[in-house]
Every structure is written in structure tokens, then in C-alpha cells.
Amino acid sequence: MAQDDNDGTEIVAAGSSSHGQEVAASPGTAVIPADGFENPGFPEHRKRVTDLDPKKAKSAERGVYTLFYLSIVGSVWAIAAYMLFPMESGDVFDVRLNNLFFGLGVALALLAIGFGAVHWAKALMHDVELADERHPVRGSEETRAAAVKVFQDADQESGFTRRSAIRNSLIGALVVFPLPAVVLFRGFAPQDQNPVELLSHTMWAEGTRLTLDPSGVPIKASDVTIGSAFHVIPEGLNELEHHKLEEKAKAAVLLMRLNPEELNETADRADWSYQGIVAYSKICTHVGCPVALYEQHTHHLLCPCHQSQFDVANHCEVIFGPAKRPLPQLPIAVDDEGYLVAQSDFTEPVGPSFWERH
Amino acid sequence: MSTAVPTTSAPAKRKGGFTAAASNYIDERTSISTVVKELGRKAFPDHWSFLLGEIALFSFVVVLITGTFLTFFFQASMAEVHYEGSYVPLKGIEMSVAMASTLDISFDLRGGLFVRQMHHWAALLFVAAIGLHMLRIFFTGAFRKPRELNWVIGFVLFVLAMGEGFTGYSLPDDLLSGNGLRIIDGMIKGMPVIGTWTSFLLFGGEFPGTAIVGRLYTLHILLLPAIIVALIAVHLLFVVVHKHTQYAAPGKTPLNAVGPPVMPVYAAKAGGFFFIVFGVLALISSLFTINPIWNYGPYDPSPVSAGTQPDWYIGFADGALRLIPPGWEFVWLERTWSFNILVPLVGLLVFLGLVFIYPFIEAWVTGDKREHHIADRPRNAPTRTAIGAAGVTFYAGLWAAASSDLIATHFKLTMEGVIHSLQAVVILGPFLAYFITKRVCIALQKKDREVVLHGYESGRIVKLPGGEFIEVHQPLDEYDRWRLVSYESYAPLMIRPDAQGKISVWQKMRAGVSRWFFEDRIAPVTRGELEASHSDHH
């Protein structure tokens, strides 16, 4: 055993003398001084004013029943308010009145009961505390022995230990039997989809016009002035019958026009922009929130959810925050009518990272 | 024969009217008199901090009541409709049935907004009360034997409550809740190996799909509440089995439980308190708007507003995501390793795991196998209190980070500055909090010793015949003294070789931790010390 012995004190069960009926339990490293103080016992009970003065008791009583009657008033008022403050007009102000006055009635009904009951208990009910004896949580030795006997008898009569082949096969079966229930949840995921494939492509394709979010009106390059920023969706998104939000969650784009001198474009992407107009995925590469805030004079994009910042002038590289990858760029061009179109889909998956992405 | 023997089954004619008859009727079918006899006059220790658990319980009841009302009107469908309710700004807008029915509850159902708000406020209070209740249990050491398992159950309840909160937050399918789900989707996708498929499994395909609200609804109203109700029942059953803890006070010993009897005083107080909690929630809900989804609009993956916030109890997770510095992601073996997601996830799990197993760690360090029913004053367990303060600081740093943008805008700070400061709070803050708290606890203990040994300052200055001025210190009476001296201290473990003359690594480690816990302890004053201090007095 690893224990300590202190001078003048010893490590024993605290109050072990009084813990007589408890099964001897190790006190660990608890230090109990041999000359510790004795518990002085209960101090004398002090009477309340309501115990001493019948007038105070009477007024406390009045307070309690007044509160209970007030509760009835509150309930009745709540029902009346439900009738008196209709909200069928469609006016938001009426909704507020209904909420306010019905709610205040309910609150009064509840609070008055609560305060009444507590006041009653504190001011008028007998306030002498009782002391219950505690018993060790552990069952008595006889009870434990009886419980052990139950298991032994059951084991004897069933042969659970003796017939180990039966026992082991039962344990095996019990371990395996919940698995079909887990397998059932396969139906949760669509079986005809390849996630990596789906996550790697968006609606954008060669010639798809850039249109305004949410109206779907195509954008002319000449309408995009320097310093402006547009929220963009692909043409045809609004007409989708199915999976409109799924497509939008991948295809949403931000369009900005910078002074071409301010854009630091790499050679391989030089033709992805058009006269300083650049288009980048709006879906943050951190966990997929929309990167919705554009600071015009610094050309920084900011995700309001986790504060990743992207520098539009430098291919949206990450300059702050938890995101790692730059926002994917959408290569754009202008069609013969002067509308902005995509040159192709994004050249990499948009949105948050995933395991198979590389 | 004329002397008929009355059979025991023939009830004697009893007096007392309806109540007696009804009690008799029920008892003869349920033997409830046994329960009443056993529990009716149980002493229930009383202290304001014991109310925190009750607030949690009562607000959960309010959540159940209001939630049931809402299920009659809410439709958990993501089918697209054009809103035609009475809230004019959204008329004709395309949205899911879930969102539309939430708007109907708010604007077209009398009292609907009230119940919705009450449900949300009560849910917030539920989680908050659980958190504070856990802190109370932690700082008073009420998790010690025999209550370790109840700590575990309580912890699971805390996690389930957060799960309930998040699933509920996501149901209305408004812009905020959709963005919250997007964040979950991004976090799941960032997990190695299973991420992509898990996301598809959860959302039934690509994000956001049309399945998630229905699935969360099943979790929110069926599975999670059922588990919570069952665990609360066990939690409370344990309270009955163990009896409540109590603070050290004259007359209170580890062998008794002192307090007002359940019937009538405790029943009246707790019953009344239920109505107070219920009433305060009603009052808040009638006065203050919460989660005005009509301002946010339906979920759309494109827009988001500045100042986007999760509900406060998820804040620590969102904050952890925000605090990761740039660049913590790389491609290796043609796979993406998103440490900007993994580190927050693992960090939170480790933190929660430590909270979960703390009772067992402390039991291992002290080696104390006895039952403990007297709650510690936090100052008398300095290391535990300091560990708690460190944990709170860590949590608070993450939690504050979830509002980093609002801190920056409201206090006119740079966003980068706020993030860097909070990174420092999360990394260094716990050490600082540990150190300060431990010193404060020990200082308070020293003050207690001082008061016990020399009495308290009476404020009376006396000039002695020799011209010396002294302040008279009044000695404590035995009742006041008992509160200051009735605690236990533990000595650091001394390792000794075992029977084979060996010292195991395990024992060495245990001794090291034990030294860290108890090295600089302050022992309670003993009678001998008190007498000695008197003898060297004037």
C-alpha cells in the first residue's frame, strides 16, 4: 500500500467512529487530525415573526390567498385577452398585442401561484427541519448474499456456465442481431448517387449566362461598373423542377469588377476574367457558408459566419480565418450579345473540403 | 353462530369523507401508502444553489408542454410552397412547408407566437440551468461517491439537451437554421474517411436536400425526448436513493440529511417554484421576441447576413471553428486532411470527455472509497476549484469566439485582433485562471484559519494601559467555527514499494498527480492549534 503518515495526524476514515455501520471503506489519503473539532450539534431554532406575532401571521395569510386569487384573475384575463386581441387582420401590431396581453395573463396566473405557495411555505408552514438518517447505498451483507444466491441458483438451474457452447453462441448472436437494424439505415443515403462526382460539378457549363440572384436576369458586361459586386446564379437555375437549392448551394457566384491594374492574375488564368471582371464561387471553402460581404476598396471578401477573408485581387487567396483554400474561380467570357457567360464549369469542386477531394 | 368473525377484507366503516375514501380506494389498488410513508416526510436539504437543477427540470417540463402544442401545428416538410399567410413582406415567396407552418403558428394562430417563444426561451433556460447545475455539482464535489454515475447521467443529459436545442433550431428551415445546417454539413464533410458519405446519409443526398427537416423532427420530438425523459427519471431516482447532499453546518453530519420535510414544506416550495419558473418564462415570452424567423426569410444557400449567430449553447463549437488560424488543411496521399475542422472537433470531444470522467480521475487521485454527502465549500478544494475555473475559461473563450464579429463591431476593434486575443484566452487563459483561482482559494482558506484562530475583527479599538492600541478580536462561537473547520484535506500520496519491492509506473504517476493536487493544501484548524493560539494571546 502506498500511504502517508503525518506527524500528529493519521490517515483514517473521516468520522470513522460515527460511520460504524458502514462497511469499512478506504479513506485514501484523507487526513483526519486526532484532535479535530466536534460537531456542536444543531443550534437553537429561531422563531419567525409570524410564529411570534399573530397579526403578522394573519397578514401573511392574507398575502398568500390574495396571490392565489390574483392567479385566477390572471387566468381569466388570459382567456379574455385571447378573445379581445384578435390577430386575423394580418397586421403585425395585432400579433404583438395578442402575444403581449395573453402572455401577461398567463404569466400572472403562474407567478401568483408560485409566489403564493412559496410565501405560504416560508412564512406560515412549520419551519423546523427534520434530520433523516443516511444509510450506506451498498446493500446489507445478507441482501448481497441473497442476490448472489439468486444468480448462482439461476446459473445452476440453467447451466449457463456449464454449457459454455450455448452461452458463447448466445453472446455471439446477441452481439450480431442489432446489425440488421443499422443496415436498414442504408436507405437514408441515395444509392444511385456518387457523392464525389456530384460534389465535383455544378450547373455551370460553357456558354451558361451569368444572371442576377435571385431574379435570373442576365448580366451585360457593360453594366458591371468598376467597384461593383453582383450576386450571381447560372441561367436556368430558377426554372429547375428539382434540386434547385442543391444546385444553388454549389453554383452561387460573386461577380466583381476591379480596375484591371489591381488584379494580380497568374498567366494560366489571365483569360478567365474579362476587363477586370472576375467571378468566384460564393461558397466558403471552410464549411460552406456563403461569403457574402465584399469590401470594395480593399477587394476583400468576408464570410460573416467564421470570418475567413479572401483577397479578390490575388485569386481569392485566404488572408485570414480558418479557411485554407482560395475560393474557386469561374472562368468567364462575353458572348456576341455582350452578356457574361461561363467558359466552363468550375475547374475544381466548390464549397467545403471533403475527404476524397484533392 | 351469532358471533360473526369480521373478515379482514371487509372494510371498517370509516370517517373522513371523500378524501379518506379516495385514498383508501387508491391504496387498495396500488399500495401507495408505502411510498407515502417512506417518502412523505423525508428531510430535503435546502440551499439556493440546489434550485439550479430544479430550474432545469421545470423548464424541461415547460419545453414538453409547449412543444406538444407546437406539434399540432408544425409540419416538418421541405416541400416547396408559396407562402400565402398573413405576414405581408413574405407573401408569395417560395419556401418550405416547415417554414410556412412556423410562420402560420406565429401570425395566424392566436397565442401561437407566445407558445413558440416560450418553447424557445424554455429550451435556452433548460440548457443554461443544466450548465449551472453541473458547475454547482462540480465545485462542491457533489459528484463524489456514491454519485459518480449520476454525474455521468447528468452529463449525457447535458449533451442530449444541446442535441435537442440544435435539432429544434433547425426545424423552421429559415435562413439562420439553414446556415447552421450548412456549417454542420461542412464539419461532417471535413471528417476523414467517413465525412462525405456521412453527409450524404444525413441529408439524404446533396446538401440541403429535402429530407433533413423531417429527420431532425423525428429526433427532436421522439427519440431525444424519450431518452431525456428516461434519463431524468433515473437521475431523480438516484437522488432519492442517495438522498440530497448538504453543506457543512452545525448538526449536519455525513450520516444525516437535514432539511424541511417533503410534505408539506418542500412540496410547497418546489411546487411553487415550478410555477415561478413557468411564470417567468411566460413573462419573458410575452415581452421579448426570440428567433424572429420572419426577418431572416426562408433558407437559400446564397444570402447570409452579418452577425450570424448560433444559439448560445452551440456557440462554443462555432467559436472553436472560428479560432483556427489559416492554412490548417493539406492534401496527403491524394486525400484532404482538414485539420481546420478536425482540431475543433477533437478539441471539443476531449474537453467534454474530461468533464465526463472527472469524478473518476479525482477518485483515483484521492483513493477515497468512502461515501461523501457533505458538499465542499469550493475554497476547501483549491485544486479542483482551479481546474473548474480553467475549464470555464476555456469554454468561455470558445463561446465568446462565436460572437467575434459582434465583439469587433460593437467595441470598434479589428476582427483579427479579436480573434488573436480569443486564441490567447483559449490557450493561455486556462493556465492563468488555474493559477489565480488556486491562489485565491488558498488565501481564503488562510483567512478562515486566521478567523478561527484569532477571532473576527470587532471594530473596537482599545487603548491599553501601556499606551498600545489594539483592535479587539472577538472569538467565534462554536457554531460559526464549525462551518470553517469542518472539511477534509488530503495528504499527497507517498509511494512505497509493493511486496516485490517494486514501484510501478502507474503508482508513480498517481503520486505525481496527487502531489499536484494536494501539495500546498491548508489543513483545517485543530483544537490543539486553537488552544495554542490562545496561550500566546494577550
Side-chain angles (χ1 to χ4, degrees):
Chain A
M1 274 301 290
Q3 281 210 338
D4 188 11
D5 45 355
N6 258 329
D7 320 316
T9 57
E10 53 178 329
I11 297 167
V12 292
S16 55
S17 54
S18 54
H19 257 259
Q21 98 273 40
E22 201 175 330
V23 193
S26 159
T29 56
V31 180
I32 305 302
D35 62 343
F37 285 93
E38 295 272 322
N39 190 328
F42 295 105
E44 204 185 335
H45 177 246
R46 287 170 59 184
K47 291 196 163 174
R48 296 163 298 186
V49 282
T50 46
D51 296 326
L52 301 168
D53 182 353
K55 261 193 202 152
K56 300 264 188 202
K58 195 74 203 158
S59 93
E61 187 185 340
R62 265 197 302 273
V64 173
Y65 67 65
T66 307
L67 279 165
F68 288 158
Y69 281 127
L70 258 181
S71 170
I72 298 176
V73 172
S75 296
V76 172
W77 166 252
I79 296 168
Y82 186 90
M83 311 291 180
L84 290 173
F85 297 93
M87 42 187 266
E88 282 72 14
S89 63
D91 187 344
V92 178
F93 187 67
D94 287 348
V95 177
R96 263 188 218 159
L97 289 182
N98 179 279
N99 183 68
L100 178 67
F101 289 115
F102 179 76
L104 287 178
V106 172
L108 177 63
L110 296 165
L111 286 173
I113 295 181
F115 284 121
V118 171
H119 187 39
W120 182 7
K122 293 190 88 147
L124 292 171
M125 287 186 187
H126 191 62
D127 76 333
V128 177
E129 293 189 321
L130 304 183
D132 279 353
E133 219 177 295
R134 287 184 199 269
H135 305 284
V137 175
R138 175 192 170 107
S140 70
E141 289 307 324
E142 302 86 74
T143 315
R144 287 161 63 98
V148 169
K149 179 126 191 345
V150 168
F151 280 112
Q152 280 169 345
D153 289 350
D155 186 34
Q156 275 287 298
E157 290 164 19
S158 63
F160 189 78
T161 313
R162 210 163 4 107
R163 304 185 201 281
S164 59
I166 292 186
R167 182 195 61 206
N168 295 347
S169 59
L170 174 64
I171 292 172
L174 288 177
V175 168
V176 177
F177 99 96
L179 295 183
V182 178
V183 172
L184 275 182
F185 282 93
R186 178 178 187 268
F188 257 44
Q191 301 310 314
D192 52 349
Q193 296 182 1
N194 176 353
V196 178
E197 182 68 20
L198 278 170
L199 294 175
S200 305
H201 298 288
T202 73
M203 258 187 85
W204 294 104
E206 187 180 350
T208 308
R209 278 182 176 167
L210 278 66
T211 66
L212 287 174
D213 178 11
S215 66
V217 176
I219 304 166
K220 272 201 160 136
S222 53
D223 293 341
V224 184
T225 53
I226 286 187
S228 62
F230 287 75
H231 299 268
V232 173
I233 50 175
E235 187 172 33
L237 181 95
N238 284 344
E239 283 73 49
L240 285 183
E241 292 275 314
H242 298 294
H243 303 304
K244 195 196 290 182
L245 285 184
E246 287 84 335
E247 289 305 333
K248 194 171 184 181
K250 291 187 291 187
V253 157
L254 276 170
L255 179 80
M256 289 130 307
R257 184 167 200 164
L258 278 64
N259 194 336
E261 289 102 69
E262 292 176 315
L263 273 180
N264 304 315
E265 294 184 291
T266 56
D268 58 324
R269 292 209 205 167
D271 60 344
W272 284 19
S273 62
Y274 177 79
Q275 295 180 358
I277 303 178
V278 286
Y280 283 95
S281 166
K282 191 179 175 181
I283 310 303
C284 185
T285 55
H286 177 221
V287 283
C289 315
V291 182
L293 306 180
Y294 178 55
E295 198 174 40
Q296 206 182 45
H297 70 269
T298 58
H299 315 311
H300 291 172
L301 281 170
L302 171 73
C303 161
C305 306
H306 301 98
Q307 281 92 55
S308 291
Q309 290 176 42
F310 303 89
D311 185 2
V312 178
N314 288 299
H315 288 310
C316 278
E317 64 173 22
V318 181
I319 47 177
F320 187 74
K324 154 76 183 190
R325 289 175 294 105
L327 296 170
Q329 186 175 4
L330 182 71
I332 54 167
V334 166
D335 66 7
D336 28 7
E337 291 175 59
Y339 288 106
L340 289 166
V341 293
Q343 292 182 28
S344 69
D345 193 358
F346 286 101
T347 56
E348 57 178 313
V350 300
S353 302
F354 54 94
W355 178 239
E356 296 87 349
R357 182 191 198 286
H358 57 88
Chain B
M1 297 292 281
S2 61
T3 52
V5 180
T7 58
T8 47
S9 62
K13 184 82 183 150
R14 81 188 64 243
K15 293 171 196 143
F18 176 76
T19 313
S23 326
N24 180 53
Y25 181 93
I26 292 168
D27 186 45
E28 286 182 355
R29 283 153 188 83
T30 61
S31 65
I32 190 124
S33 58
T34 326
V35 179
V36 174
K37 171 177 158 273
E38 282 303 313
L39 302 180
R41 291 293 276 183
K42 266 203 172 321
F44 208 102
D46 214 357
H47 188 262
W48 68 264
S49 65
F50 300 166
L51 292 182
L52 295 168
E54 288 182 17
I55 297 177
L57 178 68
F58 298 154
S59 53
F60 180 66
V61 174
V62 177
V63 170
L64 283 185
I65 294 171
T66 51
T68 306
F69 177 85
L70 294 175
T71 58
F72 289 124
F73 301 96
F74 176 73
Q75 294 177 334
S77 159
M78 289 174 89
E80 291 287 311
V81 289
H82 290 273
Y83 175 67
E84 289 307 334
S86 55
Y87 184 64
V88 178
L90 289 178
K91 263 202 176 145
I93 303 269
E94 211 176 328
M95 61 180 66
S96 66
V97 170
M99 169 91 181
S101 67
T102 311
L103 287 171
D104 288 345
I105 289 171
S106 307
F107 293 110
D108 295 285
L109 176 68
R110 282 192 211 178
L113 180 63
F114 175 70
V115 178
R116 227 197 95 219
Q117 296 193 145
M118 205 154 158
H119 190 66
H120 203 130
W121 278 119
L124 296 187
L125 183 66
F126 179 48
V127 188
I130 292 180
L132 291 175
H133 176 59
M134 283 175 84
L135 290 176
R136 200 284 288 176
I137 301 290
F138 181 88
F139 283 115
T140 61
F143 54 76
R144 290 172 296 171
K145 188 185 171 184
R147 296 180 178 78
E148 305 99 319
L149 296 181
N150 227 15
W151 169 268
V152 167
I153 293 171
F155 175 84
V156 174
L157 279 168
F158 173 60
V159 174
L160 288 173
M162 289 193 293
E164 273 288 48
F166 187 78
T167 51
Y169 179 81
S170 304
L171 289 184
D173 202 23
D174 59 294
L175 190 60
L176 266 190
S177 79
N179 271 304
L181 282 172
R182 176 85 240 207
I183 293 166
I184 293 291
D185 173 58
M187 285 180 79
I188 293 173
K189 283 202 175 110
M191 295 196 294
V193 188
I194 57 167
T196 314
W197 268 104
T198 308
S199 163
F200 269 60
L201 198 77
L202 183 64
F203 290 90
E206 275 192 276
F207 176 86
T210 52
I212 188 69
V213 167
R215 289 174 182 183
L216 293 179
Y217 188 63
T218 306
L219 292 175
H220 184 76
I221 71 160
L222 182 67
L223 190 60
L224 295 177
I227 304 174
I228 289 179
V229 168
L231 287 182
I232 286 179
V234 181
H235 201 64
L236 296 181
L237 180 70
F238 271 138
V239 175
V240 175
V241 170
H242 299 145
K243 295 198 170 99
H244 211 285
T245 53
Q246 56 196 1
Y247 286 102
K252 298 187 179 178
T253 74
L255 287 174
N256 64 15
V258 180
V262 167
M263 300 248 275
V265 176
Y266 182 73
K269 276 188 180 173
F273 191 55
F274 167 73
F275 282 96
I276 292 175
V277 171
F278 206 162
V280 166
L281 284 169
L283 194 64
I284 296 172
S285 308
S286 59
L287 295 175
F288 303 103
T289 304
I290 190 167
N291 201 19
I293 52 154
W294 51 90
N295 287 346
Y296 313 140
Y299 179 58
D300 177 333
S302 179
V304 71
S305 56
T308 299
Q309 300 284 296
D311 262 341
W312 71 265
Y313 46 83
I314 297 295
F316 73 121
D318 198 55
L321 281 179
R322 296 184 185 204
L323 288 183
I324 299 299
W328 284 25
E329 182 182 287
F330 55 86
V331 174
W332 184 53
L333 303 176
E334 298 202 333
R335 289 290 181 259
T336 301
W337 301 76
S338 302
F339 281 86
N340 50 357
I341 306 290
L342 278 175
V343 170
L345 269 181
V346 172
L348 293 180
L349 289 178
V350 168
F351 174 66
L352 291 176
L354 286 174
V355 174
F356 185 78
I357 62 167
Y358 184 81
F360 306 100
I361 298 177
E362 200 184 293
W364 175 68
V365 173
T366 62
D368 191 338
K369 303 264 188 277
R370 300 164 302 158
E371 289 186 11
H372 292 272
H373 300 292
I374 303 282
D376 282 331
R377 296 173 83 202
R379 69 179 61 171
N380 288 333
T383 307
R384 178 203 298 147
T385 303
I387 290 173
V392 169
T393 308
F394 178 76
Y395 178 92
L398 296 180
W399 181 76
S403 297
S404 54
D405 48 338
L406 293 184
I407 295 174
T409 52
H410 279 64
F411 297 103
K412 306 208 184 315
L413 304 164
T414 65
M415 197 132 58
E416 293 82 354
V418 171
I419 291 285
H420 290 319
S421 312
L422 288 172
Q423 283 167 340
V425 167
V426 167
I427 306 290
L428 305 175
F431 293 100
L432 196 64
Y434 175 87
F435 181 77
I436 293 174
T437 309
K438 181 137 185 192
R439 290 301 120 195
V440 168
C441 284
I442 289 177
L444 289 171
Q445 280 187 303
K446 285 183 176 162
K447 177 72 188 169
D448 283 350
R449 271 186 80 84
E450 169 77 21
V451 170
V452 172
L453 289 174
H454 306 296
Y456 58 89
E457 295 166 1
S458 64
R460 199 155 57 88
I461 311 289
V462 174
K463 186 181 182 186
L464 297 181
E468 184 192 2
F469 287 94
I470 59 155
E471 182 181 5
V472 176
H473 281 227
Q474 208 73 25
L476 292 175
D477 68 30
E478 57 176 345
Y479 299 115
D480 287 334
R481 189 196 301 132
W482 178 247
R483 281 185 59 251
L484 301 184
V485 299
S486 60
Y487 69 93
E488 286 176 0
S489 71
Y490 291 84
L493 184 76
M494 300 280 280
I495 38 174
R496 302 258 167 82
D498 62 12
Q500 279 84 45
K502 286 184 185 136
I503 295 173
S504 69
V505 180
W506 194 238
Q507 279 296 335
K508 271 191 204 158
M509 208 169 99
R510 194 172 153 203
V513 182
S514 176
R515 211 176 316 120
W516 173 54
F517 259 78
F518 301 120
E519 200 167 41
D520 42 8
R521 73 194 185 283
I522 304 281
V525 179
T526 60
R527 275 184 315 219
E529 284 175 307
L530 183 61
E531 276 154 25
S533 82
H534 284 321
S535 61
D536 62 36
H537 252 240
H538 312 281

